[in-house]
Amino acid sequence: MEIRQLKTFWTLASTRSFSRTAEVLNYVPSTVTMQIKALEEELGVRLLDRLGKSVVLTDAGHQLLPYATKILNDIEEARCVSSQNGELTGTIIIGADEVLCTYRLPALLRDYRRQYPHVRLLFKPLSGQNLKQSLREGDVDVVFMLDEPIVSSDLHTEILLDEPFLMVVSPDHPLASRATLSIEDFNREHILLSEKGCSYRTFFYRTLVKNGADSLTELEFNSVEAIKQCTMAGLGIALLPKMALKGEMERGELIPLPWDLSEIQFATQMLWHQEKWISPSIKAFTDLARNLLQ
């Protein structure tokens, strides 16, 4: 039994795809097939079944997986101890949506780089609807999401920080000086929204319609900064996380509206696959994320 065979098996168990495993490990697909076949022959059991384009672990595969994870983790720890005078090494691939990429993660990435300069950090900005899939396909190691509390059978999820939201307009908007608002005040207003698939965009729009708003005009943007700039220019009303509005509100460029948003319960969350091999460098990264963001 070779270490590379175990690594290939572990990666295949995460991606559930021969082609994706080949991409992750920089192999040709035939190499993946050859290594899995050799491992199965040595163990005398079938480790997986192909169901169409998907890969499913057999009972024997499920039994082998925790042992493969432990062996690979021990090897990574041994490498860390024996190289760079015990300093952590390796590569971490991180995914996050645009809001967290801009407002929450820069300080985390900066501090981690300072503490562990020999670890390579690769960052992938992804839309919210692709983040969980990227974990399941093995494209990333850890993702951060701004969403309602996530419950998953195959992903480990942690809430790091509750994120309040505000509804904002420009100072010269007709609603900016109002002490109270009714749902009728939103009729015929322009609503500045993030791209489709964003969870809080869906929640925001659904809440307005449910409460009786009609004749709403939607303007869609793929950037929080674009939404803020257009809101400051007086183009309409936006709902954004408070973390993205601090500077503009302090300068008086955006005004919060007196509208109850207590139903919106979103949080910054950290996720990884439950079957993911957590190397010492990834563990150090998640520990630092908890310390900085909680």
Side-chain angles (χ1 to χ4, degrees):
M1 185 185 304
E2 299 181 5
I3 297 303
R4 63 176 181 171
Q5 293 172 348
L6 287 177
K7 188 173 183 180
T8 298
F9 166 72
W10 182 89
T11 305
L12 185 57
S14 299
T15 65
R16 306 299 173 98
S17 164
F18 276 83
S19 60
R20 291 295 303 122
T21 297
E23 290 178 17
V24 170
L25 298 177
N26 198 26
Y27 290 157
V28 295
S30 60
T31 300
V32 176
T33 301
M34 179 183 64
Q35 290 187 8
I36 294 299
K37 183 178 179 181
L39 184 60
E40 289 179 327
E41 289 177 351
E42 181 168 352
L43 295 175
V45 295
R46 189 176 183 88
L47 297 174
L48 52 89
D49 291 316
R50 289 194 185 192
L51 302 180
K53 295 182 179 181
S54 181
V55 172
V56 178
L57 294 181
T58 63
D59 288 342
H62 281 292
Q63 292 176 27
L64 176 62
L65 185 59
Y67 293 100
T69 301
K70 184 179 186 305
I71 291 170
L72 293 172
N73 196 33
D74 289 344
I75 290 172
E76 179 67 15
E77 290 180 359
R79 285 175 176 165
C80 291
V81 170
S82 61
S83 66
Q84 300 293 337
N85 297 319
E87 294 189 38
L88 295 185
T89 60
T91 299
I92 305 175
I93 306 175
I94 305 150
D97 56 36
E98 185 240 352
V99 177
L100 297 181
C101 173
T102 304
Y103 299 103
R104 287 289 181 226
L105 295 189
L108 171 60
L109 300 178
R110 178 200 63 209
D111 287 4
Y112 188 84
R113 179 63 57 85
R114 287 175 179 172
Q115 294 184 38
Y116 307 103
H118 298 290
V119 178
R120 185 185 182 203
L121 295 176
L122 299 180
F123 187 77
K124 286 189 175 184
L126 297 166
S127 63
Q129 56 189 342
N130 294 324
L131 283 166
K132 287 184 282 189
Q133 190 62 27
S134 69
L135 286 175
R136 294 186 172 108
E137 294 180 353
D139 291 334
V140 296
D141 298 312
V142 181
V143 303
F144 295 86
M145 295 182 65
L146 176 62
D147 207 332
E148 296 176 277
I150 297 168
V151 177
S152 173
S153 61
D154 61 343
L155 301 178
H156 171 89
T157 66
E158 289 185 34
I159 293 178
L160 298 178
L161 189 66
D162 291 330
E163 300 287 2
F165 276 69
L166 295 172
M167 195 179 294
V168 293
V169 294
S170 64
D172 57 356
H173 190 279
L175 299 181
S177 59
R178 298 281 297 275
T180 60
L181 293 174
S182 66
I183 194 64
E184 289 76 18
D185 293 318
F186 294 102
N187 292 336
R188 293 175 296 282
E189 286 289 346
H190 289 80
I191 307 299
L192 281 55
L193 299 170
S194 52
E195 60 186 337
K196 286 183 172 65
C198 173
S199 55
Y200 62 82
R201 169 223 168 106
T202 303
F203 187 95
F204 177 36
Y205 193 77
R206 187 175 66 228
T207 299
L208 289 179
V209 172
K210 182 181 72 174
N211 283 283
D214 58 19
S215 304
L216 299 174
T217 301
E218 301 177 39
L219 299 177
E220 184 175 315
F221 301 84
N222 61 5
S223 160
V224 169
E225 288 302 313
I227 292 175
K228 289 198 295 185
Q229 291 297 323
C230 290
T231 305
M232 288 188 287
L235 293 185
I237 301 170
L239 176 83
L240 291 171
K242 188 175 181 178
M243 63 175 153
L245 299 168
K246 182 178 179 181
E248 289 79 8
M249 291 177 57
E250 288 177 349
R251 295 188 295 269
E253 296 168 341
L254 288 173
I255 305 298
L257 294 179
W259 189 255
D260 182 13
L261 296 173
S262 59
E263 289 186 16
I264 300 181
Q265 296 181 353
F266 280 66
T268 292
Q269 297 168 77
M270 179 169 61
L271 298 82
W272 62 82
H273 201 287
Q274 288 187 356
E275 296 178 353
K276 175 69 182 172
W277 165 40
I278 303 300
S279 68
S281 56
I282 294 176
K283 184 178 185 304
F285 181 79
T286 57
D287 288 344
L288 184 61
R290 293 186 191 98
N291 292 333
L292 285 181
L293 299 180
Q294 283 186 336

